[in-house]
Amino acid sequence: MTARGVSEELRIPERDVYDHLEHIRRTMGKGKAALTVEPAVCEACGFVFRKRGRLKTPGKCPLCRSELIREAVFSVETR
């Protein structure tokens, strides 16, 4: 689910979702489950934001400077 989807589902501001996801990532890393992130992708040139440490969707593509960025998708997987 995207951060926007979580925001709509839980009826909380999207900016708060990223804080909660970061906390989930830290705490789940110690257990049997993990937060997985399908990275954001530039819709214009196809650049994939694989090495991005922050969970928030980037504002612009570093290659083509386009602002058409598909949001990252978050899920929980068990190990």
Side-chain angles (χ1 to χ4, degrees):
M1 184 178 270
T2 65
R4 182 172 296 148
V6 173
S7 171
E8 291 171 357
E9 188 75 26
L10 299 177
R11 296 186 179 122
I12 62 173
E14 189 174 342
R15 66 182 178 275
D16 292 345
V17 171
Y18 293 110
D19 292 334
H20 292 299
L21 287 172
E22 185 61 44
H23 182 260
I24 289 169
R25 180 166 65 171
R26 283 193 315 267
T27 57
M28 290 185 91
K30 300 173 184 174
K32 295 182 180 180
L35 179 69
T36 59
V37 181
E38 182 182 317
V41 178
C42 175
E43 295 286 345
C45 72
F47 179 79
V48 179
F49 294 84
R50 283 188 183 94
K51 294 183 180 180
R52 187 167 172 87
R54 291 176 280 173
L55 298 176
K56 189 174 179 185
T57 302
K60 290 183 182 178
C61 175
L63 296 180
C64 69
R65 309 304 290 167
S66 173
E67 294 181 2
L68 297 172
I69 308 293
R70 182 173 52 212
E71 292 183 74
V73 177
F74 305 98
S75 61
V76 175
E77 290 185 3
T78 56
R79 299 180 201 174

